[in-house]
Amino acid sequence: LADGIVENGVLNGDLVLYGTGDPGISDRFYGKKDEVFQRLLDELEIAGIHKITGDLVADASFFSGPLRGEGWDPRDLNEHFTAAVSALSYNENVVSFRIRPGPVGSTPLVETIPSHSALEVVNTAETVVGRARPRLAILREDPTEAVRVEGRMTSGSGDVWRQMTVAVPAEFVGATFRALLEQRGILVGGQTRVVDKPYESAIRRLSAPALGRRGAHIIATQVSRPLRDYISVINKESNNLFAEVVFRTIGRVAEGVGSPEASSRSVADALQAIGVDTTGLVQVDGSGLAETNRVSAGTFVQIIAGM
């Protein structure tokens, strides 16, 4: 969205990335991880926009949160199968750390793939000489904390890899998109910031894109893959992020709120509509990661019969 007037290729206002829950912005369905972002940038260039005077806003307010489900095991929150749930997602909300030896006596070289992860990294490890393989650790107790690279790495050793979830997906998207804007020569004068509350969203001021019209208007769009493709990922690969995003979207569409509570009510209503007895059914997330979820074998049989 352009949240401001566009004149002579200059957006006098903010550029807003408004996400509606698509989990497929990655190389799972596209040739490159950032292909969807590149398509949006192509549309900006066609529109002739080469400068933004305001901020780059990563707007994830389509879902109300939380980023991680209530009852998820804290010990799992670094792992890919507990990726944070956001209306703005990229690379399934995980990054891979690649650690390579640096010059002897210096810290190892730390790289994330994709880059621009928006993660804070504290690297206190040391590159050493020796034949024995010393211990190198990539640690984080909580997803909101800095990632720590500790220990020692032999100068001649191979790369060390570790995959981790990103802390705030919208920050990850914002940092990535800003870097891609700069690569295209599109200047952003302001900061990169995240919006996660509906009342702060520019979508509330959406208007037709008329010359001189104040308020946000759409300048580029990306449509997701069909839902059936995502259902296949959920059911055949047990992908928790896709399950959570589809679950949250159900609540958003049915009740206007992308919360687990709204989604759970909507699922129960749909099950009752096909004759399923939902007595005793407790659904607190879309993936089943929370131990407080409860469903009987009989309920499953009724669902299949109803289908």
Side-chain angles (χ1 to χ4, degrees):
L1 311 174
D3 192 9
I5 300 171
V6 179
E7 295 177 312
N8 300 319
V10 178
L11 167 54
N12 294 293
D14 297 336
L15 180 67
V16 183
L17 277 169
Y18 182 71
T20 54
D22 184 2
I25 301 176
S26 69
D27 56 2
R28 178 185 289 274
F29 295 111
Y30 301 95
K32 295 182 179 179
K33 294 180 184 296
D34 62 2
E35 182 175 326
V36 169
F37 294 152
Q38 298 290 359
R39 292 181 182 185
L40 294 174
L41 290 169
D42 289 343
E43 293 194 51
L44 287 185
E45 289 187 336
I46 291 170
I49 296 174
H50 58 81
K51 183 177 180 180
I52 295 103
T53 63
D55 294 339
L56 173 62
V57 181
D59 187 335
S61 63
F62 190 75
F63 294 159
S64 62
L67 292 176
R68 296 162 185 88
E70 181 181 349
W72 290 9
D73 191 331
R75 296 170 296 181
D76 292 337
L77 296 181
N78 286 327
E79 309 304 329
H80 68 91
F81 58 84
T82 58
V85 186
S86 176
L88 268 179
S89 296
Y90 173 49
N91 199 51
E92 301 185 13
N93 298 337
V94 298
V95 295
S96 294
F97 279 86
R98 180 189 184 191
I99 317 295
R100 294 176 291 163
V104 174
S106 68
T107 57
L109 305 176
V110 180
E111 173 188 7
T112 63
I113 301 171
S115 53
H116 313 291
S117 66
L119 290 172
E120 180 185 357
V121 179
V122 178
N123 182 6
T124 60
E126 182 183 9
T127 306
V128 298
V129 177
R131 294 184 178 180
R133 187 171 183 178
R135 182 177 183 274
L136 183 77
I138 306 167
L139 307 169
R140 184 179 62 179
E141 277 71 42
D142 185 271
T144 61
E145 297 177 353
V147 176
R148 308 190 314 277
V149 181
E150 300 177 351
R152 298 186 300 166
M153 189 175 197
T154 305
S155 58
S157 65
D159 299 351
V160 174
W161 293 82
R162 171 81 157 92
Q163 192 177 63
M164 277 192 176
T165 55
V166 299
V168 181
E171 290 182 355
F172 181 31
V173 170
T176 299
F177 200 75
R178 186 174 188 122
L180 295 175
L181 282 165
E182 292 173 354
Q183 289 176 16
R184 293 283 189 110
I186 302 174
L187 303 177
V188 182
Q191 304 298 311
T192 302
R193 57 187 174 90
V194 169
V195 166
D196 55 14
K197 304 207 170 30
Y199 63 82
E200 297 176 346
S201 175
I203 203 77
R204 297 173 67 247
R205 304 188 302 279
L206 196 65
S207 64
L211 186 63
R213 176 77 60 89
R214 295 190 179 278
H217 58 272
I218 297 170
I219 53 176
T221 59
Q222 162 68 20
V223 178
S224 76
R225 301 277 296 205
L227 179 61
R228 63 176 174 270
D229 291 352
Y230 292 177
I231 296 297
S232 178
V233 173
I234 294 169
N235 286 344
K236 294 187 176 183
E237 299 183 27
S238 190
N239 186 295
N240 292 327
L241 175 64
F242 278 67
E244 291 291 349
V245 167
V246 170
F247 178 64
R248 299 280 184 95
T249 302
I250 290 169
R252 169 72 194 213
V253 171
E255 294 196 11
V257 181
S259 69
E261 294 79 14
S263 298
S264 180
R265 288 191 296 269
S266 301
V267 169
D269 290 344
L271 293 178
Q272 290 167 7
I274 62 171
V276 175
D277 181 5
T278 58
T279 303
L281 174 65
V282 178
Q283 184 175 18
V284 298
D285 61 18
S287 62
L289 281 169
E291 293 184 356
T292 50
N293 286 295
R294 291 290 181 272
V295 62
S296 70
T299 297
F300 274 122
V301 172
Q302 290 180 23
I303 290 171
I304 294 169
M307 292 164 60

